[in-house]
Amino acid sequence: MTGRELLEKWGLPDLTGNGRFVSANVMDSLGNGLVLAFTVLYFTTTTSLPLGSIGAALSLGQLLALPTPVVAGALIDRFGSRTVVIGANLMSAVGFCAFLAADAVWKIVAVQFVVQAGSSIYWTSSRSLVLLAARRRDHARWFGFISALRNIGGGFGAAVASLAIAWGSEWVRALVLANALSFVVAACLLAGWRPTAPTPAPGAAPAPGAARPAGGGGYGAVLRDLRYLRLVVANLAYVLAASVLPVLLALYITEVLGAPAWLVGACMVGNMVLVALVQTLVARMIERRRPARVLALAGVVNAAAFALFGLVLAVPGWLVAGGMLLAMAVFTVAEMLSMPSSSELSASLAPDHIRGRYLGVFQLSWSLGNALAPAVLTTLLGHGPAWPWMVLGAVNLLAVPLVLSLGDSALGKPAPADAAVEDGVPRRQPLTDTADHR
């Protein structure tokens, strides 16, 4: 079996010419896994501040960074996504280095703001980078592959971080420095990456610095695009669903079900392993399907998973572990369907000349959803153990008609001959049916 046939069998994209891009994603996800999941524990280990003050400072820093995607969108349209991602990685490196000097509440607020801003800018920009790396018809494979890759890197980073924490505070500080270095390496890899792209038709590509295409620009254009806003609103349901893992799972298993803590680890590891091993195969299965229909299916599967999570309340104790693992498997299937599809739609439904601003608004749904999820999910749990699952299931089902109303995206269709230039690299122009934008 040739290398190309092996890639095809496992649903992997053609990686030719994109080694630096792939390596940069590995380094970035490794860095996120190393520290982000252990931020609270880092400051409780290395400072004498009370836990309540640390938590409040981290929350305030994150809230201050909420508008960052709006700024990032304008920067992407002006400087190109690759340049902005490089800046975001360097910002994250500076923020994590500053962790070492954060020994007061205001300093924790400041470093948390810098780190969260860097992360938000990265996620706003990274979807455009996938389009630069992808060939004409393997966008789903690329988004699936990057999702699996980041899952592996983040999981490995979290495992290394847990060992460092067990060894003591000096190892934790060394971990932060290693984390900062990983972002610098990622930035250098992206700076040296020259993405391959179709050659533009003679005379079709505008020269660098030429006037942007007609059709309006700025955030006003995004706010008038009701089709895209429906995607942003619908994505909030998927963001709340994704928040189950970091916010609700451990609390539900240990406090509500009274199950042992090992079950939490089994569910989390099972999710990571499934995504790492199966995500690219799922991407291969859905690559010829319309992304909107796949995302709608993910909403239905999410609702089924939340129904199973709730039903575990009614099973005998000896069935709790099996019920939770089954629910987690269904939840992971929904995750593997939704992540590539939502990323693909967020990029494909945006006009090329202001795609950065569109992606900035889309990223706001993630920032807002992640900020609201802890309060929303814990409040629902306080009203009763079944309430989070009923509300999450209903919200995901309500998202289905919104997603289906998006219709067909332009990704998966033959790429037009025209091309634009980003970061000096020709790219397709534009990946959307402009007649559908209202």
Side-chain angles (χ1 to χ4, degrees), residues 355-375:
R355 180 175 292 142
R357 288 173 171 84
Y358 270 73
L359 293 178
V361 171
F362 182 78
Q363 184 61 31
L364 278 177
S365 66
W366 278 97
S367 299
L368 183 61
N370 285 332
L372 292 175

Side-chain angles (χ1 to χ4, degrees), residues 47-321:
T47 72
S48 58
L49 295 170
L51 180 60
S53 297
I54 292 171
L58 291 173
S59 295
L60 180 56
Q62 186 164 346
L63 287 172
L64 291 174
L66 278 179
T68 305
V70 177
V71 178
L75 293 175
I76 294 166
D77 291 333
R78 182 175 179 85
F79 300 108
S81 57
R82 188 162 60 107
T83 301
V84 175
V85 169
I86 291 170
N89 278 328
L90 294 176
M91 181 183 294
S92 295
V94 170
F96 282 116
C97 283
F99 267 42
L100 300 175
D103 54 3
V105 169
W106 71 269
K107 292 180 181 179
I108 294 177
V109 173
V111 298
Q112 175 73 344
F113 167 75
V114 173
V115 167
Q116 285 297 320
S119 179
S120 293
I121 294 172
Y122 173 86
W123 284 110
T124 305
S125 314
S126 61
R127 297 178 183 91
S128 287
L129 290 186
V130 175
L131 296 186
L132 286 178
R135 301 294 187 268
R136 292 189 175 195
R137 294 186 180 274
D138 62 353
H139 300 94
R141 292 190 178 210
W142 265 104
F143 281 114
F145 172 66
I146 293 299
S147 178
L149 201 66
R150 295 190 65 83
N151 198 279
I152 295 170
F156 181 75
V160 172
S162 63
L163 290 176
I165 288 168
W167 290 338
S169 60
E170 291 306 315
W171 283 96
V172 171
R173 290 187 175 89
L175 185 71
V176 168
L177 286 176
N179 186 49
L181 179 62
S182 73
F183 285 105
V184 173
V185 172
C188 292
L189 287 167
L190 285 173
W193 173 49
R194 294 295 179 265
T196 57
T199 304
R212 296 196 181 278
Y219 279 105
V222 186
L223 297 178
R224 289 190 297 271
D225 188 346
L226 299 183
R227 184 189 188 196
Y228 199 82
L229 293 182
R230 289 199 297 274
L231 172 64
V232 174
V233 172
N235 193 57
L236 280 169
Y238 299 95
V239 175
L240 289 174
S243 298
V244 164
L245 286 183
V247 175
L248 199 59
L249 187 68
L251 191 62
Y252 183 68
I253 289 176
T254 58
E255 299 297 325
V256 175
L257 299 177
W262 65 260
L263 183 56
V264 179
C267 288
M268 299 287 278
V269 171
N271 171 266
M272 183 185 73
V273 170
L274 276 177
V275 173
L277 295 180
V278 184
Q279 177 71 80
T280 56
L281 296 177
V282 172
R284 178 188 175 189
M285 293 170 59
I286 66 176
E287 65 181 339
R288 298 191 183 279
R289 307 288 181 181
R290 296 297 183 180
R293 297 178 185 176
V294 176
L295 188 58
L297 175 61
V300 175
V301 178
N302 260 335
F306 297 139
L308 288 172
F309 279 123
L311 287 173
V312 174
L313 290 165
V315 304
W318 59 274
L319 274 179
V320 165

